[in-house]
């Protein structure tokens, strides 16, 4: 049992490293947010030609962030399931 737990812990660490190397983007008009598969924001870009006020900017940032987070969640979920497959029966 302890051997299986150690194996699973090692697989999770490998998966986390893979997820750090994966980038996803969420876009909303003039805003782009780049995030890792581990759900860490790497970059926020606002197009220089963006003719928007502060309230609209806040709304677009929220939309772009949530879109990037959705993509990162999907990738993270898939990678963690793959790392558990073969270690935990039925996964």
């Amino acid at each position: 049992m302890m051997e299986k737990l150690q194996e699973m812990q090692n697989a999770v660490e490998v998966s986390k490293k893979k997820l750090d190397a994966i980038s996803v983007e969420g876009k909303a008009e003039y805003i782009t947010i780049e995030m890792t598969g581990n759900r860490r924001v790497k970059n926020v870009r606002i197009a220089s030609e963006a003719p928007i006020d502060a309230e609209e900017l806040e709304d677009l940032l929220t939309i772009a962030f949530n879109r990037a987070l959705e993509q990162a969640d999907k990738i993270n979920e898939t990678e963690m399931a793959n790392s558990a497959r073969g270690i935990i029966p039925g996964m």
Side-chain angles (χ1 to χ4, degrees):
M1 181 70 161
M2 291 300 287
E3 187 177 310
K4 286 286 187 188
L5 288 174
Q6 184 63 41
E7 187 178 334
M8 187 169 155
Q9 186 176 14
N10 291 340
V12 167
E13 288 303 315
V14 168
S15 291
K16 284 182 180 180
K17 287 180 183 176
K18 284 182 187 178
L19 289 166
D20 270 337
I22 295 171
S23 290
V24 296
E25 287 187 348
K27 295 182 180 187
E29 294 185 44
Y30 302 102
I31 310 295
T32 302
I33 294 180
E34 185 180 0
M35 184 178 287
T36 70
N38 279 319
R39 302 177 193 106
R40 299 282 185 246
V41 175
K42 290 172 55 175
N43 194 10
V44 176
R45 290 187 303 275
I46 302 170
S48 59
E49 69 275 3
I52 54 180
D53 62 21
E55 186 176 335
E56 187 177 0
L57 178 61
E58 291 168 353
D59 290 343
L60 292 175
L61 281 167
T62 301
I63 291 166
F65 178 81
N66 286 328
R67 287 178 179 169
L69 186 57
E70 286 173 13
Q71 289 181 46
D73 281 343
K74 287 177 188 174
I75 289 170
N76 191 288
E77 211 173 278
T78 300
E79 183 59 39
M80 288 302 170
N82 287 341
S83 68
R85 194 170 286 127
I87 297 171
I88 300 174
M91 289 288 290

